[in-house]
Amino acid sequence: GFLEQRALLSHDLRAYLPDNDKDAAIALRDLVARKATTEFKSNREIRREDVLDTIGVRLDDLFPAPNALESPPIIVPRAQMSDLVKVITKSLTPVIVSADGGYGKSIVATQIGPALPGSMTFVYDCFGNGGYRSLTGLRHRAKDGLVQLANEMAAQGLCHPLIPTPKADDAAYAHAFLARVGQASAVLRSQAADGFLVLVLDAADNA
């Protein structure tokens, strides 16, 4: 059933994109059709890179802003960490940790995960070791930060990947990201009833 398969492709593709990009489904159908012709008679395989390239995405675009936080060889445990963990697990709103530069906020960000066994913690590095000021290291856009966090969760099997598209706006990325947060929370709670999904934004003022 061609029509049924076409409808299924459009439906399934929406689960991976930030918006309903109908052109992406058309381009993928065209790719499959061309692979069946003599143009590709020596190689009819369709690989991951082929799919991404067809919808205008590079593999690097899936993880556009990797974590650049550096951990020292010796980390001094913070006496306040247990209190911070209690606040995080009981708060119904985002928790903000503030201090002057050099007080170790970034190190604390990396230590929240180990302090919460049974939970999953993902740290987004807004500063990027100063790279946020670079034209090639942008980190403040939705298609950078939200895509990076979503795909780190997806890499752990918690949610669908989020494949960026040239046409999606910030609102589409935010909507798609929140949907994946819901997916990840549900999967995590099914594995550990008392588990938490913790998203840490280090140097959030840079974003």
Side-chain angles (χ1 to χ4, degrees):
F2 174 74
L3 295 178
E4 182 181 2
Q5 289 188 46
R6 185 170 67 180
L8 285 172
L9 173 62
S10 297
H11 178 271
D12 289 348
L13 199 55
R14 281 200 297 270
Y16 296 94
L17 304 179
D19 59 354
N20 185 16
D21 189 346
K22 296 181 179 179
D23 291 340
I26 294 172
L28 286 175
R29 290 202 305 269
D30 181 58
L31 171 66
V32 174
R34 288 174 54 217
K35 282 286 186 175
T37 67
T38 55
E39 179 184 358
F40 291 98
K41 62 181 179 180
S42 61
N43 177 20
R44 301 200 188 281
E45 291 183 346
I46 296 178
R47 299 181 177 273
R48 174 177 54 187
E49 291 78 8
D50 298 324
V51 173
L52 292 175
D53 184 62
T54 298
I55 59 180
V57 181
R58 298 173 305 172
L59 196 58
D60 291 346
D61 294 335
L62 299 181
F63 295 93
N67 196 322
L69 293 175
E70 299 178 354
S71 294
I74 299 176
I75 296 177
V76 178
R78 297 284 176 151
Q80 300 89 346
M81 183 58 74
S82 60
D83 291 336
L84 176 58
V85 167
K86 289 179 182 177
V87 172
I88 291 173
T89 55
K90 294 182 182 301
S91 177
L92 300 178
T93 58
V95 176
I96 299 175
V97 177
S98 62
D100 292 336
Y103 271 69
K105 298 184 297 298
S106 296
I107 299 300
V108 168
T110 64
Q111 296 305 298
I112 292 174
L116 280 167
S119 299
M120 293 290 286
T121 301
F122 299 90
V123 180
Y124 181 65
D125 175 17
C126 299
F127 187 70
N129 203 19
Y132 76 100
R133 296 185 296 250
S134 148
L135 288 177
T136 58
L138 296 176
R139 290 171 175 263
H140 64 279
R141 301 175 301 183
K143 68 178 182 179
D144 302 316
L146 300 186
V147 169
Q148 178 72 32
L149 274 173
N151 286 332
E152 286 186 14
M153 292 190 294
Q156 297 298 320
L158 297 177
C159 64
H160 289 316
L162 178 54
I163 302 175
T165 61
K167 298 179 180 179
D169 57 17
D170 286 353
Y173 281 111
H175 180 77
F177 176 73
L178 290 175
R180 282 154 181 79
V181 169
Q183 284 181 331
S185 298
V187 170
L188 188 59
R189 281 295 169 90
S190 70
Q191 298 172 350
D194 57 348
F196 287 88
L197 174 67
V198 183
L199 305 178
V200 182
L201 306 183
D202 186 54
D205 52 334
N206 288 312

